[in-house]
Amino acid sequence: MDESGGSGQPRSGNDQSTDRHTGGTASTTDPTHPEPTTTDTRLAETGKPDAEPTPTDGPADTGEPAAPEPPKQAEPTQPDAPADTPGRTGVTTPRPAKSRAPRKPKDPGGGLLMGRPFGVPVYVAPSWFLVAALITWVFGGQLDRVLPELGAVRYLVSLFFAVAFYASVLVHELAHTVAALRFKLPVRRIQLQFFGGVSEIEKESETPGREFVLAFVGPLLSLILAGVFYLALQTVEPGTVPGVLLAGLMISNLIVAAFNLLPGLPLDGGRMLRAVVWKITGKPMSGTVAAAWVGRALAVSVLIGLPLLTQSGALGSTAEDSVGMDTVTDALLAAILAAIIWTGAGNSLRMARLREHLPELRARNLTRRAVPVETNTPLSEALRRANDAGARALVVVDPDGEPLSLVREAAIVGVPEHRRPWVSVSGLAQDLTDGMRVSAELSGEELLDALRATPATEYLVVEDSGEIYGVLSAADVERAFVKAMARPN
């Protein structure tokens, strides 16, 4: 996912974790925050988890079946890929499935929802209220020197400035959003937070030219706003409340534009540099590496250079004035900015590596072999059939062979062995929705998008003909993802 961070610079990253319904084991399918906390569970009665299989292009049968019993405790082994080949189950579904309507994807959240311009939700993060209070206090002190007659009203004027400034930041973010939508790139949300705004764009630009435009429109809009405020400033009397507000908004938008044009990730200028290197080399990864390292160098420069500039008086104050609390404040601000830039550059590198490995995630290779069982089948009998077939998943079907639900792995583990002959599989199953049916041909980002759209612990994998191919566990996708990310580029 691309995001614009700071005051609108597109960067890579995603913070979406998937929810689980019907009591399934919590697990994350979003590639940006893998949390492989769920281990593999075989449908076996040995009471022990299977050993790690040798990865292959596609899962293969395990050979001799084991006695059916889920493990008593999941053993935290290293990430592994499933080793069972899902094959034909003898059940075909040529007609449309009798499934319920898919659930609506969960709102991304992220604070107080302010609206949905262009259909994209805009949130104000709780940290914004902190920075708004800080701007109100600092700008109020400046107003006291310029317009002392305002008295306590100066803080109300300062609060208006803080809101107007972040409205400018929102315009900056909307510029990224409109450009992304124009290029048919989905935008998950816009979030206003402590140091500006974030536009979360869920896909990479397809060409370096689009990448450059997508990054440049944000600072361009900030420059245009600065020009608008400058023109408005010419129509009011200097030294008045409108004059001070317009001058402050003009300067703040110039600062936003200049800061975001610095040539290092995760800033807009870094995305522009990435696009240029991508165009020259023909390799997006080369552009990311170059812009990320420039971003890290920029972070070090901010950490060291900003306090030195303040001490030298280059920012408008003398060295004698820049002592005590002011010096500490400048150093703290420099450290925060440097940390944000350094972290953003590192995240961009990790996301670039992620995108290189995404094609390795293929639904067909990660799917578990499944056996169909009817609604009233006892769990013990279903496990016996799975064991005989070398399968690791159960699909509940109607008398015509139509898939109705998936038996949840976590629910099987929770049923004691002596009760399994008396528990039917339907009581442990999760009803299928359209979103829980995924094509065996899905891979990479398309597969992750499908899983993210309908969070669940297991998914039914089908061929294009509608025939059951097997069951895909979200935990298997996580493990495959973590294993791919662990390999060097």
Side-chain angles (χ1 to χ4, degrees):
M1 178 194 300
D2 291 339
E3 299 178 358
S4 77
S7 292
Q9 62 279 8
R11 60 182 171 83
S12 297
N14 180 333
D15 56 355
Q16 175 70 12
S17 62
T18 55
D19 300 329
R20 298 285 180 250
H21 353 264
T22 65
T25 303
S27 161
T28 303
T29 57
D30 195 321
T32 59
H33 293 284
E35 300 175 7
T37 57
T38 307
T39 55
D40 190 15
T41 306
R42 297 266 184 181
L43 299 177
E45 289 184 353
T46 59
K48 300 178 181 179
D50 292 343
E52 180 180 6
T54 303
T56 60
D57 290 339
D61 284 337
T62 56
E64 294 186 6
E69 174 183 328
K72 297 179 182 178
Q73 181 176 358
E75 184 178 7
T77 60
Q78 295 180 350
D80 63 331
D84 300 291
T85 302
R88 293 179 177 269
T89 62
V91 179
T92 59
T93 55
R95 59 184 183 279
K98 302 174 183 177
S99 59
R100 300 176 184 176
R103 297 187 180 184
K104 183 179 179 180
K106 185 178 179 182
D107 197 300
L112 180 64
L113 179 62
M114 302 301 295
R116 295 178 179 272
F118 307 103
V120 177
V122 176
Y123 293 92
V124 174
S127 60
W128 178 85
F129 295 95
L130 176 62
V131 74
L134 180 62
I135 292 175
T136 300
W137 177 64
V138 173
F139 196 69
Q142 295 176 348
L143 282 177
D144 190 38
R145 292 192 294 269
V146 178
L147 299 170
E149 65 275 11
L150 288 178
V153 178
R154 68 181 184 273
Y155 291 109
L156 184 60
V157 176
S158 299
L159 179 60
F160 177 83
F161 171 79
V163 174
F165 168 68
Y166 268 84
S168 301
V169 173
L170 177 59
V171 172
H172 180 119
E173 298 300 330
L174 286 174
H176 290 302
T177 296
V178 171
L181 296 177
R182 175 67 179 81
F183 295 144
K184 301 187 185 305
L185 301 176
V187 182
R188 181 167 169 261
R189 68 177 177 180
I190 296 174
Q191 187 183 52
L192 301 180
Q193 48 189 233
F194 190 85
F195 271 101
V198 174
S199 298
E200 297 184 3
I201 303 170
E202 295 189 347
K203 290 187 178 181
E204 282 275 332
S205 300
E206 296 178 355
T207 65
R210 290 186 175 185
E211 173 83 348
F212 188 93
V213 171
L214 184 59
F216 180 63
V217 290
L220 177 62
L221 258 291
S222 293
L223 288 173
I224 291 174
L225 284 177
V228 170
F229 289 127
Y230 173 78
L231 294 177
L233 184 62
Q234 308 308 308
T235 65
V236 300
E237 183 178 350
T240 62
V241 171
V244 172
L245 286 175
L246 289 171
L249 290 172
M250 178 191 70
I251 294 172
S252 61
N253 276 277
L254 284 174
I255 293 174
V256 167
F259 180 73
N260 277 280
L261 286 173
L262 293 176
L265 287 173
L267 304 174
D268 289 332
R271 304 297 294 192
M272 295 162 64
L273 174 61
R274 175 181 182 267
V276 171
V277 177
W278 178 4
K279 180 66 175 179
I280 295 174
T281 63
K283 299 178 181 178
M285 186 64 183
S286 298
T288 300
V289 171
W293 279 104
V294 172
R296 287 175 169 176
L298 181 62
V300 175
S301 300
V302 169
L303 180 63
I304 299 174
L306 185 59
L308 291 179
L309 285 175
T310 303
Q311 288 293 322
S312 68
L315 299 181
S317 60
T318 62
E320 291 78 7
D321 294 332
S322 302
V323 294
M325 184 59 67
D326 289 342
T327 301
V328 174
T329 302
D330 292 337
L332 180 60
L333 177 62
I336 293 174
L337 285 174
I340 291 174
I341 297 173
W342 183 279
T343 302
N347 287 340
S348 297
L349 280 175
R350 284 189 290 273
M351 286 302 300
R353 191 173 72 174
L354 178 153
R355 291 184 183 281
E356 281 199 331
H357 291 308
L358 273 183
E360 301 174 18
L361 301 180
R362 294 186 288 271
R364 188 175 294 278
N365 291 354
L366 297 173
T367 298
R368 301 176 177 187
R369 179 189 292 274
V371 295
V373 292
E374 294 192 5
T375 303
N376 297 324
T377 305
L379 177 59
S380 59
E381 172 63 15
L383 291 175
R384 185 193 66 78
R385 295 181 191 177
N387 181 67
D388 291 344
R392 298 169 55 202
L394 301 172
V395 179
V396 179
V397 298
D398 64 13
D400 297 328
E402 187 74 26
L404 300 175
S405 56
L406 301 178
V407 179
R408 293 176 292 115
E409 185 179 52
I412 297 176
V413 176
V415 179
E417 183 177 356
H418 68 275
R419 293 196 63 241
R420 291 174 183 173
W422 317 107
V423 176
S424 64
V425 291
S426 60
L428 308 175
Q430 178 178 3
D431 290 342
L432 282 171
T433 65
D434 289 342
M436 290 173 61
R437 297 169 183 264
V438 299
S439 170
E441 303 303 323
L442 289 181
S443 64
E445 196 162 355
E446 289 184 351
L447 173 61
L448 295 177
D449 288 342
L451 304 192
R452 192 183 302 123
T454 307
T457 52
E458 289 94 13
Y459 299 83
L460 179 68
V461 181
V462 296
E463 297 282 10
D464 292 340
S465 63
E467 183 178 357
I468 296 175
Y469 184 71
V471 172
L472 177 65
S473 169
D476 290 341
V477 178
E478 291 173 7
R479 281 189 287 272
F481 167 76
V482 173
K483 190 172 184 179
M485 286 295 291
R487 289 197 296 271
N489 288 332

